[in-house]
PDB file of all heavy atoms in Angstrom:
ATOM      1  N   ALA S 168     -10.516  17.083  -9.972  1.00 90.00           N
ATOM      2  CA  ALA S 168     -10.373  17.664 -11.246  1.00 90.00           C
ATOM      3  C   ALA S 168      -9.124  17.321 -11.984  1.00 90.00           C
ATOM      4  O   ALA S 168      -9.084  17.091 -13.191  1.00 90.00           O
ATOM      5  CB  ALA S 168     -10.460  19.185 -11.131  1.00 90.00           C
ATOM      6  N   ASN S 169      -7.988  17.156 -11.266  1.00 89.00           N
ATOM      7  CA  ASN S 169      -6.707  17.020 -11.967  1.00 89.00           C
ATOM      8  C   ASN S 169      -5.932  15.768 -11.482  1.00 89.00           C
ATOM      9  O   ASN S 169      -4.834  15.446 -12.106  1.00 89.00           O
ATOM     10  CB  ASN S 169      -5.873  18.251 -11.516  1.00 89.00           C
ATOM     11  CG  ASN S 169      -6.471  19.433 -12.058  1.00 89.00           C
ATOM     12  OD1 ASN S 169      -6.861  19.641 -13.192  1.00 89.00           O
ATOM     13  ND2 ASN S 169      -6.760  20.430 -11.176  1.00 89.00           N
ATOM     14  N   GLY S 170      -6.357  15.077 -10.590  1.00 83.00           N
ATOM     15  CA  GLY S 170      -5.666  13.929  -9.967  1.00 83.00           C
ATOM     16  C   GLY S 170      -5.606  12.646 -11.059  1.00 83.00           C
ATOM     17  O   GLY S 170      -6.582  12.204 -11.332  1.00 83.00           O
ATOM     18  N   LYS S 171      -4.389  12.304 -11.343  1.00 81.00           N
ATOM     19  CA  LYS S 171      -4.176  11.273 -12.284  1.00 81.00           C
ATOM     20  C   LYS S 171      -2.990  10.542 -11.739  1.00 81.00           C
ATOM     21  O   LYS S 171      -1.851  10.703 -11.976  1.00 81.00           O
ATOM     22  CB  LYS S 171      -3.834  11.709 -13.731  1.00 81.00           C
ATOM     23  CG  LYS S 171      -5.069  12.298 -14.381  1.00 81.00           C
ATOM     24  CD  LYS S 171      -4.891  12.638 -15.750  1.00 81.00           C
ATOM     25  CE  LYS S 171      -6.093  13.304 -16.313  1.00 81.00           C
ATOM     26  NZ  LYS S 171      -5.854  13.691 -17.680  1.00 81.00           N
ATOM     27  N   LEU S 172      -3.215   9.591 -10.807  1.00 83.00           N
ATOM     28  CA  LEU S 172      -2.193   8.827 -10.131  1.00 83.00           C
ATOM     29  C   LEU S 172      -2.164   7.485 -10.909  1.00 83.00           C
ATOM     30  O   LEU S 172      -2.711   6.454 -10.448  1.00 83.00           O
ATOM     31  CB  LEU S 172      -2.515   8.560  -8.608  1.00 83.00           C
ATOM     32  CG  LEU S 172      -2.572   9.770  -7.806  1.00 83.00           C
ATOM     33  CD1 LEU S 172      -2.952   9.552  -6.298  1.00 83.00           C
ATOM     34  CD2 LEU S 172      -1.194  10.361  -7.750  1.00 83.00           C
ATOM     35  N   SER S 173      -1.454   7.481 -12.068  1.00 80.00           N
ATOM     36  CA  SER S 173      -1.379   6.299 -12.815  1.00 80.00           C
ATOM     37  C   SER S 173      -0.768   5.208 -12.084  1.00 80.00           C
ATOM     38  O   SER S 173      -0.946   3.988 -12.419  1.00 80.00           O
ATOM     39  CB  SER S 173      -0.595   6.550 -14.141  1.00 80.00           C
ATOM     40  OG  SER S 173       0.756   7.064 -13.838  1.00 80.00           O
ATOM     41  N   SER S 174       0.077   5.391 -11.118  1.00 83.00           N
ATOM     42  CA  SER S 174       0.690   4.275 -10.317  1.00 83.00           C
ATOM     43  C   SER S 174      -0.104   3.708  -9.226  1.00 83.00           C
ATOM     44  O   SER S 174       0.234   2.764  -8.541  1.00 83.00           O
ATOM     45  CB  SER S 174       2.075   4.858  -9.690  1.00 83.00           C
ATOM     46  OG  SER S 174       1.857   5.797  -8.817  1.00 83.00           O
ATOM     47  N   ALA S 175      -1.302   4.353  -8.890  1.00 88.00           N
ATOM     48  CA  ALA S 175      -2.179   3.942  -7.827  1.00 88.00           C
ATOM     49  C   ALA S 175      -2.827   2.598  -8.107  1.00 88.00           C
ATOM     50  O   ALA S 175      -3.212   2.294  -9.192  1.00 88.00           O
ATOM     51  CB  ALA S 175      -3.279   5.031  -7.627  1.00 88.00           C
ATOM     52  N   ILE S 176      -2.695   1.664  -7.101  1.00 92.00           N
ATOM     53  CA  ILE S 176      -3.299   0.418  -7.198  1.00 92.00           C
ATOM     54  C   ILE S 176      -4.437   0.197  -6.097  1.00 92.00           C
ATOM     55  O   ILE S 176      -4.383   1.065  -5.115  1.00 92.00           O
ATOM     56  CB  ILE S 176      -2.372  -0.721  -6.991  1.00 92.00           C
ATOM     57  CG1 ILE S 176      -1.628  -0.605  -5.811  1.00 92.00           C
ATOM     58  CG2 ILE S 176      -1.344  -0.634  -8.275  1.00 92.00           C
ATOM     59  CD1 ILE S 176      -0.659  -1.861  -5.598  1.00 92.00           C
ATOM     60  N   VAL S 177      -5.263  -0.754  -6.067  1.00 93.00           N
ATOM     61  CA  VAL S 177      -6.264  -0.916  -5.099  1.00 93.00           C
ATOM     62  C   VAL S 177      -5.599  -0.933  -3.666  1.00 93.00           C
ATOM     63  O   VAL S 177      -4.470  -1.548  -3.510  1.00 93.00           O
ATOM     64  CB  VAL S 177      -7.075  -2.236  -5.366  1.00 93.00           C
ATOM     65  CG1 VAL S 177      -7.942  -2.669  -4.224  1.00 93.00           C
ATOM     66  CG2 VAL S 177      -7.712  -2.117  -6.643  1.00 93.00           C
ATOM     67  N   ASP S 178      -6.212  -0.302  -2.771  1.00 95.00           N
ATOM     68  CA  ASP S 178      -5.857  -0.224  -1.354  1.00 95.00           C
ATOM     69  C   ASP S 178      -4.730   0.991  -1.116  1.00 95.00           C
ATOM     70  O   ASP S 178      -4.371   1.182  -0.044  1.00 95.00           O
ATOM     71  CB  ASP S 178      -5.352  -1.436  -0.768  1.00 95.00           C
ATOM     72  CG  ASP S 178      -6.504  -2.458  -0.557  1.00 95.00           C
ATOM     73  OD1 ASP S 178      -7.558  -1.948  -0.452  1.00 95.00           O
ATOM     74  OD2 ASP S 178      -6.280  -3.624  -0.548  1.00 95.00           O
ATOM     75  N   ASP S 179      -4.324   1.571  -2.196  1.00 95.00           N
ATOM     76  CA  ASP S 179      -3.416   2.818  -1.918  1.00 95.00           C
ATOM     77  C   ASP S 179      -4.260   3.922  -1.287  1.00 95.00           C
ATOM     78  O   ASP S 179      -5.536   3.860  -1.454  1.00 95.00           O
ATOM     79  CB  ASP S 179      -2.879   3.282  -3.241  1.00 95.00           C
ATOM     80  CG  ASP S 179      -1.674   2.480  -3.743  1.00 95.00           C
ATOM     81  OD1 ASP S 179      -1.183   1.727  -2.967  1.00 95.00           O
ATOM     82  OD2 ASP S 179      -1.139   2.726  -4.859  1.00 95.00           O
ATOM     83  N   VAL S 180      -3.641   4.775  -0.722  1.00 96.00           N
ATOM     84  CA  VAL S 180      -4.384   5.875   0.112  1.00 96.00           C
ATOM     85  C   VAL S 180      -3.894   7.227  -0.293  1.00 96.00           C
ATOM     86  O   VAL S 180      -2.758   7.383  -0.621  1.00 96.00           O
ATOM     87  CB  VAL S 180      -4.169   5.714   1.655  1.00 96.00           C
ATOM     88  CG1 VAL S 180      -4.658   6.761   2.498  1.00 96.00           C
ATOM     89  CG2 VAL S 180      -4.779   4.383   2.228  1.00 96.00           C
TER      90      VAL S 180
END
Side-chain angles (χ1 to χ4, degrees):
N169 302 303
K171 293 184 180 179
L172 295 174
S173 59
S174 63
I176 61 171
V177 172
D178 292 332
D179 280 354
V180 171

